[in-house]
Amino acid sequence: MSAKEQENSSCPSQSIELSRFVEGALTGKLRVALILGLTTPVDVFTETARCWKRVEETRLVLGITFAVSRVLPGCADVELDLHSFGDCLEDGVGVVARMLPAALLKRHGIGELRRRHSRAEGRSYLSNGCVHCDALQGRFFEHELGYELAKTLEVEARFEPEWGPLMEHAHNDIYRWWFDERG
Ligand SMILES: [Zn+2]
């Protein structure tokens, strides 16, 4: 990664003078996994796709980012997606439905996020659907997307402490150390 890229990265790192760091570490300023139980803005990233069924346009949710850095400056954001919830949490479908209700999504051209049956996979899973006809937009298809991601809406949500251990793919971001420079 170049210095420029590092500067623009969504995982900012903190630069702290060693003596302040040591003093802070000894006085409880060095914290880990602050996202657990924290309420943060949540950025929802989508991309426009053509519904395979009726060739109409719909937006698919490809990224759900807990913007921790906007609450705790210098602390890394946690980038998740639909499958982080659907695959890792027992009630992932309910969690996402409460965080991103269908009516809100519809106003942004996004289909309801709910469990749908996939004939291709022979099972049902938390999925994107067409905003017009509700047809499942398969997750396999998402690999072809991601080139024109745009932040489409922002909500606020609490990252429940019990989600942390379950979202193994995101442990590097969830269990990050953070030096509390406040006050
Ligand atoms: Zn459709």
Side-chain angles (χ1 to χ4, degrees):
M1 213 189 260
S2 73
K4 187 78 198 158
E5 277 169 328
Q6 241 158 19
E7 211 174 85
N8 294 335
S9 153
S10 62
C11 298
S13 57
Q14 290 173 284
S15 176
I16 298 143
E17 205 184 310
L18 183 61
S19 58
R20 282 187 54 224
F21 179 85
V22 172
E23 188 197 333
L26 294 173
T27 53
K29 286 180 179 291
L30 196 55
R31 313 266 177 84
V32 71
L34 282 162
I35 190 176
L36 303 180
L38 191 71
T39 297
T40 80
V42 175
D43 297 333
V44 178
F45 293 89
T46 71
E47 187 162 317
T48 300
R50 271 188 199 292
C51 169
W52 60 270
K53 203 167 184 182
R54 301 204 316 206
V55 202
E56 56 212 354
E57 288 199 334
T58 185
R59 298 195 78 91
L60 308 183
V61 172
L62 299 183
I64 298 175
T65 297
F66 280 74
V68 184
S69 64
R70 298 218 289 278
V71 181
L72 305 171
C75 196
D77 293 343
V78 175
E79 296 177 14
L80 304 171
D81 62 22
L82 211 49
H83 313 303
S84 309
F85 294 90
D87 295 346
C88 303
L89 308 182
E90 203 174 327
D91 182 35
V93 175
V95 167
V96 168
R98 287 188 291 276
M99 183 164 62
L100 301 169
L104 171 68
L105 295 175
K106 191 165 188 178
R107 288 205 293 277
H108 293 273
I110 306 165
E112 185 176 0
L113 303 173
R114 64 176 181 85
R115 193 184 293 285
R116 293 179 181 81
H117 183 75
S118 160
R119 244 182 301 180
E121 292 198 29
R123 66 184 187 101
S124 62
Y125 60 86
L126 176 59
S127 54
N128 275 291
C130 174
V131 69
H132 306 287
C133 73
D134 196 49
L136 166 83
Q137 306 295 308
R139 66 198 291 177
F140 171 75
F141 177 66
E142 290 170 10
H143 298 300
E144 295 166 28
L145 300 167
Y147 302 104
E148 287 171 59
L149 273 186
K151 176 178 162 182
T152 309
L153 70 141
E154 181 181 323
V155 294
E156 205 176 64
R158 180 172 189 256
F159 191 97
E160 299 299 339
E162 63 269 25
W163 299 352
L166 301 171
M167 293 183 172
E168 281 182 31
H169 64 291
H171 275 185
N172 281 350
D173 287 336
I174 293 171
Y175 292 96
R176 200 175 281 264
W177 290 94
W178 183 68
F179 189 79
D180 189 351
E181 296 182 85
R182 297 171 299 182

